Amino acid sequence: MTKKKAGAHPVGAPWTADDIAIAVRMWKQMMLDPKARGEPMLGRKDAACGAIAKALNRSVEAIRSRYRDYGIGFASKLGDCAQPARRADPEAERKRLALAAARARQDAIGALLNDPPPGYSALDERRGSGGDAPSHDRRLPHRRDVVA
């Protein structure tokens, strides 16, 4: 069981303008410090994230995530504290909606027994008759399907 630090920000707590200003100031001091020239860059980044996390009473991962999303400014170019806009891939969104529609067509017994939705079974995928899977049917044609 992990103990929560006293006064720690809850997970996902919004960053204030003061938090951002402190993070930027500390980042610049630690990363641009002329005394740390011999130290490898990765070591300096880890040290900077750790120091900022301690000063802001946040987790190191929260600092790394904020840096990864926004860069050294720790905020968007507009100066607000909002999260960056993330968009789903249109193809992934289409597949998600198709799967949801197939699940809506599924009967109660199939859902209860955890059957795949119509068109998404392994057999349907092999036949290429459903879902988003391409047809990989390499079987030989059946006797009745061959015209002599």
Side-chain angles (χ1 to χ4, degrees), residues 29-110:
Q29 284 176 351
M30 295 191 76
M31 294 305 288
L32 302 177
D33 184 12
K35 292 183 279 183
R37 292 283 180 217
E39 193 176 335
M41 183 63 81
L42 184 60
R44 279 192 274 171
K45 280 185 180 179
D46 287 343
C49 287
I52 294 168
K54 190 172 183 178
L56 297 180
N57 213 1
R58 292 181 181 266
S59 70
V60 175
E61 188 52 41
I63 305 301
R64 285 187 186 132
S65 175
R66 187 76 181 192
Y67 173 74
R68 200 172 29 249
D69 290 344
Y70 294 105
I72 62 171
F74 287 91
S76 69
K77 301 286 187 226
L78 301 175
D80 63 349
C81 299
Q83 293 294 321
R86 295 182 179 159
R87 295 192 177 269
D89 179 31
E91 181 68 18
E93 184 69 14
R94 187 188 64 75
K95 287 181 180 181
R96 186 187 67 77
L97 291 173
L99 180 60
R103 282 201 175 118
R105 292 189 312 265
Q106 189 174 25
D107 62 347
I109 299 295

